[in-house]
Amino acid sequence: MGPRNAAAETAPREKTAIQVIDRMMKLLDALAQSSEPVSLKALSLWTDLHPSTAHRILNDMVVGRFVDRGETPGTYRLGMRLLELGNLVKARLSVREAALEPMRDLHRKTGQTVNLSVRQGDEIVYIDRSYSERSGMQVVRAIGGRAPLHLTSSGKLFLANDDPRVVRSYATRTGLAGHTRNSITDLTKLERELSLVRARGYARDNEELELGVRCIAAGIRDDSGRLVAGLSVSAPAERMQDEWIEDLVTTAARISSGLGHNRAEPGTS
């Protein structure tokens, strides 16, 4: 009797949640049809929702910044959160497309694994890779894998791009946990490392994430100059060569150019 009652209670809740999502999508679609703020009355008519229901859902979406209130009381328009999410999707899709051939070319030049990664919160997420079994190194981070920013060459690029206060907040939040004896777990040392990254225009990982593996990374920027991804070369520690840095930086600049970025900036590539 008990389990049947629990199941009976769960089903209506799930149905209600799906119904709310459906109504949210109807309202978003309705707002997308107009370049001007839309009144609650018009949205109610277009979506066949009762005004009080539409008003309640719109208020929730305003809190989440998916919808903004118009200057005229009682009107609504699509929110900035949608633009932010859309730009993230656009950046990831376009970066992978722009990076495909350059990554293959860099892999052929170095014979080592070439990684493409983006930032998600306090971590790097690997979204593409060019490698061969002959590189002599086991791929330790598969596509979709994550790693802390301060332990990776690409992650350091993003931290170096942050305001110092943001870096300190990151250090407090994460505790700068280490993975190996080479990991940077001290804020002062990390800040010194990030200064080097800004001065050089590229970043290093000296066996800080995985023992026996070294990486170098250069940043990829979009048409607005925003750092959107990191391009890195990973190699067995004894095989890493500084002569690859120039090829890496040039390749990152080539990908950035494919995204519409043509302006050189100090400390970035």
Side-chain angles (χ1 to χ4, degrees):
M1 189 70 176
R4 285 200 299 272
N5 288 341
E9 290 175 3
T10 301
R13 284 200 297 268
E14 291 177 350
K15 183 177 180 180
T16 301
I18 293 171
Q19 188 178 54
V20 170
I21 293 171
D22 180 61
R23 290 171 174 176
M24 288 175 61
M25 294 308 300
K26 283 183 178 180
L27 287 166
L28 290 175
D29 287 340
L31 289 169
Q33 300 304 310
S34 175
S35 59
E36 300 294 328
V38 185
S39 69
L40 175 62
K41 181 179 179 180
L43 289 170
S44 177
L45 288 172
W46 292 350
T47 59
D48 290 326
L49 293 175
H50 190 277
S52 63
T53 300
H55 185 258
R56 184 177 67 253
I57 296 174
L58 286 165
N59 281 345
D60 287 341
M61 289 198 288
V62 166
V63 173
R65 297 172 54 236
F66 293 99
V67 171
D68 291 337
R69 299 185 194 278
E71 293 181 2
T72 303
T75 63
Y76 301 86
R77 62 188 175 194
L78 294 179
M80 292 301 294
R81 181 62 177 155
L82 293 172
L83 179 62
E84 294 167 4
L85 293 173
N87 282 338
L88 282 174
V89 173
K90 176 186 174 184
R92 289 172 190 171
L93 291 177
S94 58
V95 166
R96 290 184 71 175
E97 184 177 345
L100 184 61
E101 283 305 318
M103 287 178 67
R104 288 175 178 171
D105 291 343
L106 183 59
H107 170 63
R108 281 193 287 267
K109 285 182 179 180
T110 63
Q112 304 302 318
T113 301
V114 177
N115 313 284
L116 183 66
S117 54
V118 297
R119 179 179 188 169
Q120 264 192 6
D122 292 339
E123 296 178 311
I124 282 296
V125 180
Y126 297 91
I127 62 172
D128 214 340
R129 170 169 286 130
S130 289
Y131 73 100
S132 65
E133 299 299 330
R134 292 179 299 170
S135 66
M137 183 185 72
Q138 180 182 1
V139 177
V140 292
R141 288 291 184 276
I143 294 175
R146 296 169 177 269
L149 295 175
H150 66 288
L151 299 183
T152 64
S153 54
S154 288
K156 290 175 186 176
L157 294 172
F158 284 95
L159 288 174
N161 198 59
D162 281 342
D163 183 274
R165 289 173 297 178
V166 175
V167 175
R168 288 194 290 271
S169 294
Y170 167 84
T172 300
R173 190 167 55 250
T174 63
L176 296 181
H179 281 200
T180 75
R181 61 176 178 270
N182 287 3
S183 298
I184 297 177
T185 58
D186 175 77
L187 177 58
T188 301
K189 290 181 180 179
L190 177 61
E191 289 174 332
R192 192 179 306 128
E193 177 83 357
L194 298 181
S195 293
L196 287 175
V197 172
R198 286 187 286 270
R200 292 168 173 165
Y202 65 89
R204 294 180 181 272
D205 158 17
N206 181 30
E207 301 183 68
E208 295 161 52
L209 181 65
E210 302 282 347
L211 285 176
V213 179
R214 289 179 177 165
C215 302
I216 48 177
I220 296 170
R221 293 179 178 268
D222 64 10
D223 56 344
S224 68
R226 185 170 61 93
L227 181 65
V228 294
L231 181 72
S232 62
V233 174
S234 302
E238 70 278 5
R239 293 190 189 178
M240 179 59 73
Q241 300 178 31
D242 283 352
E243 65 188 52
W244 295 335
I245 294 172
E246 183 177 353
D247 287 330
L248 170 69
V249 171
T250 300
T251 302
R254 176 183 165 193
I255 298 170
S256 297
S257 179
L259 297 175
H261 179 67
N262 297 306
R263 179 164 50 90
E265 299 183 11
T268 61
S269 301

